[in-house]
Amino acid sequence: MFKKIFITYLSILILIMLVLSVIISSLADNYVYGEKEKVLEGVAFKANEAAQAYADGEIDNAQLTDEIDAMGYITNTKIYIIKANSSAHIELTSELADAYLRDALEKVLSGQKVYLREQYSQGFDAQMLFAGYPWKDDAGVKGAILLFSPEKEIASIVADIRFSIWFTALAFVLIGGCVVYLVSKKIVRPIKAIDAASIKMAKGEPVDDIVIHSKDEMGSLARSFNSMKEKLRKNEELRQDLIGNISHDLRTPITNINGFISGMADGVIKAEDYPKYIGILRQEARRLMNLTGEILETAKIQSGIIELHKSRLLLSAIVREAISANELLAHEKEVIIQVDMDEELSMDADPDKLGQVLYNLINNAVKYSHHKGTVIVTAKRLEKEIEICVKDSGTGIAADDLPYIFDRYYRAEKARGKTGYGLGLCIAKTYVEAHEGRIDVHSTEGEGSRICFTIPNS
Ligand code: ADP
């Protein structure tokens, strides 16, 4: 990741500097040659004036030569003023024998300017910058003014400028490269931290919170990671609790069953006491069945297998079954369970799942009721759904616990003394939602709870 970011940013930087350097170099070249052209144009203008003065007899040959030589010396230019003959033809000396000059002269004599940046001149035995201008007076072209300037001089200026440009670009790339390196490290640091924390977590080692204060995606990733870590930690704690509870709850009835059966077999328990002990054995067996049932239901939910087998059913019959399955507990606590619903209320639902939801809600209502409390089960048909509620006047649920009671394995602090594994409401919610219904809780600590769920009307 670091390599990728670093190389990408660095490549972009190098590319930008390359393009910029090429553009600036070419602009600088054009500027230098352009300036030289302007100088040569000025020289040509002055030479034109001097040549004209000579032609008009204002100055003599020596004066013209002096003037031309002075201009040439100052501008490091070799100046030729050549007069065309009557047929506008110029015979060039051997010094000006280069082929390109013939073409150039033709153009000049036709009144055009010629400017050639780099030309090898045999006469000078060097690369020369050539400029040709027509020698003009009012009557027209009289000849040509040819200027030769050593290319070497301009080339060295251009080379100096290019060197400065490329050196600056290189410096930028080096400094930019360091900045890119630091920035890439900064981008990758939180990802590395999260990666290291994940590896530690996978090994089961304790992990500190990732501290990133930025409000960007990295900050949000770190916050999500921290909350996931917290949730996993809590889940692990709940799971450990659950394993502890389940092991204990499995061991107790199995030990009891084993003890009573051994007592019966050995004759320690007398035949006349059998009915009493068979009752206890049945109770213990039911506890085991309930426990394994809940674990199996949760395993099914966890694996995502919830198949609904819907049929037309009479709600009151399912409610009665759920109540009778809780009768023993209700009887022990002397809790009265009342039902308030239309006996004929029918609906489409999975009878087993609906029965399980009702059983769990009624079981909780009785379990968390005070001695001699009352539980009321109501059902009514609403416009688009059937609403079923189980209300008790028991311990109620603390506001802090309310958001979590449907979470798997969650048990409120107050529920610790009671049997249960924090699975009942999670199962209920999953089954209600499988029917595309909703489940809600209204509870005030110390006053009781009312848990309602809906099943779409049909
Ligand atoms: P449990 O097996 O612990 O009852 P549940 O998933 O059925 O697990 O319920 C989760 C928690 O919600 C319980 O531990 C208890 O604290 C709270 N709770 C559920 N129903 C009631 C109720 N009717 N009255 C008070 N507390 C309840």
Side-chain angles (χ1 to χ4, degrees), residues 82-85 87-92 101-114 132-136 140-146:
I82 304 173
K83 194 168 188 300
N85 61 23
S87 54
H89 183 73
I90 293 177
E91 273 308 320
L92 289 171
L101 276 176
R102 304 204 163 276
D103 299 339
L105 254 179
E106 245 175 64
K107 284 187 183 161
V108 170
L109 290 178
S110 68
Q112 295 173 43
K113 294 177 194 170
V114 177
Y133 299 90
W135 167 14
K136 278 183 185 167
V141 179
K142 282 178 109 173
I145 300 167
L146 306 182

Side-chain angles (χ1 to χ4, degrees), residues 294 360-361 364-365 367-368 392 394-397 401 405-407 410-415 419-426 443 448-449 451:
E294 276 201 349
N360 290 0
L361 297 188
N364 277 349
K367 201 160 68 176
Y368 299 108
D392 66 69
T395 57
I397 303 166
D401 291 321
I405 58 163
F406 291 104
D407 288 359
Y410 189 83
R411 307 198 70 213
E413 202 57 49
K414 289 182 87 179
T419 57
Y421 309 99
L423 298 173
L425 286 185
C426 170
S443 185
S449 314
I451 300 187

Side-chain angles (χ1 to χ4, degrees), residues 36-269:
K36 186 69 187 177
E37 198 180 336
K38 276 187 205 158
V39 170
L40 292 182
E41 190 141 9
V43 170
F45 181 75
K46 287 274 173 211
N48 196 76
E49 272 181 355
Q52 200 49 44
Y54 173 73
D56 295 343
E58 290 165 17
I59 55 172
D60 60 17
N61 194 25
Q63 280 174 308
L64 174 66
T65 311
D66 282 352
E67 212 169 305
I68 294 296
D69 284 350
M71 269 192 291
Y73 181 76
I74 294 166
T75 57
N76 194 19
T77 309
K78 184 83 182 159
I79 305 167
Y80 292 89
I81 300 173
I82 304 173
K83 194 168 188 300
N85 61 23
S86 52
S87 54
H89 183 73
I90 293 177
E91 273 308 320
L92 289 171
T93 60
S94 61
E95 201 181 23
L96 301 174
D98 294 316
Y100 73 91
L101 276 176
R102 304 204 163 276
D103 299 339
L105 254 179
E106 245 175 64
K107 284 187 183 161
V108 170
L109 290 178
S110 68
Q112 295 173 43
K113 294 177 194 170
V114 177
Y115 186 74
L116 300 171
R117 275 193 185 178
E118 274 175 78
Q119 281 298 336
Y120 177 74
S121 166
Q122 277 177 344
F124 297 98
D125 189 19
Q127 287 289 114
M128 299 302 278
L129 196 149
F130 167 79
Y133 299 90
W135 167 14
K136 278 183 185 167
D137 65 3
D138 297 339
V141 179
K142 282 178 109 173
I145 300 167
L146 306 182
L147 310 174
F148 297 86
S149 186
E151 160 71 15
K152 209 169 62 186
E153 178 202 359
I154 295 179
S156 94
I157 298 172
V158 167
D160 282 354
I161 294 175
R162 279 191 189 163
F163 175 77
S164 307
I165 291 169
W166 287 98
F167 182 78
T168 313
L170 186 69
F172 261 106
V173 168
L174 288 178
I175 297 168
C178 294
V179 174
V180 164
Y181 179 83
L182 294 175
V183 169
S184 309
K185 275 245 144 158
K186 198 172 171 224
I187 292 175
V188 170
R189 199 178 303 135
I191 298 174
K192 269 192 155 176
I194 291 172
D195 183 41
S198 311
I199 293 171
K200 267 179 130 185
M201 257 169 78
K203 286 185 191 158
E205 292 172 17
V207 174
D208 292 334
D209 270 0
I210 308 273
V211 187
I212 299 170
H213 297 297
S214 62
K215 291 198 167 65
D216 55 12
E217 287 83 351
M218 277 301 153
S220 137
L221 177 65
R223 280 190 293 281
S224 307
F225 179 86
N226 289 342
S227 84
M228 179 195 76
K229 180 174 74 71
E230 188 51 29
K231 188 109 187 158
L232 283 178
R233 192 193 58 76
K234 222 168 171 181
N235 255 3
E236 181 56 22
E237 223 176 81
L238 291 170
R239 205 177 60 87
Q240 292 293 348
D241 262 14
L242 178 79
I243 292 173
N245 288 346
I246 289 180
S247 322
H248 173 262
D249 286 12
L250 277 176
R251 206 178 308 121
T252 316
I254 290 173
T255 315
N256 287 347
I257 290 169
N258 187 41
F260 292 138
I261 291 176
S262 302
M264 287 166 153
D266 299 349
V268 177
I269 294 174

Side-chain angles (χ1 to χ4, degrees), residues 250-319:
L250 277 176
R251 206 178 308 121
T252 316
I254 290 173
T255 315
N256 287 347
I257 290 169
N258 187 41
F260 292 138
I261 291 176
S262 302
M264 287 166 153
D266 299 349
V268 177
I269 294 174
K270 294 196 184 81
E272 60 262 35
D273 291 331
Y274 278 10
K276 178 181 153 199
Y277 286 103
I278 286 174
I280 299 174
L281 281 175
R282 188 195 280 161
Q283 206 174 315
E284 295 295 2
R286 189 170 290 153
R287 268 172 71 183
L288 277 178
M289 269 163 59
N290 284 347
L291 173 56
T292 44
E294 276 201 349
I295 295 170
L296 273 175
E297 292 296 338
T298 320
K300 269 196 218 161
I301 289 172
Q302 241 172 314
S303 61
I305 314 167
I306 307 171
E307 274 181 35
L308 289 187
H309 301 285
K310 285 191 185 178
S311 61
R312 196 74 191 162
L313 51 85
L314 209 56
L315 182 60
S316 54
I318 307 283
V319 170

Side-chain angles (χ1 to χ4, degrees), residues 315 319 339-343 345-347 377-389 450 452-457:
L315 182 60
V319 170
V339 179
D340 178 9
M341 70 170 72
D342 175 2
E343 280 289 316
L345 195 58
S346 66
M347 62 199 288
V377 183
T378 58
K380 58 182 173 199
R381 193 181 284 277
L382 303 177
E383 199 187 336
K384 289 183 178 156
E385 56 205 5
I386 290 171
E387 186 192 59
I388 302 155
C389 295
R450 183 167 176 263
C452 295
F453 66 96
T454 58
I455 301 288
N457 200 351

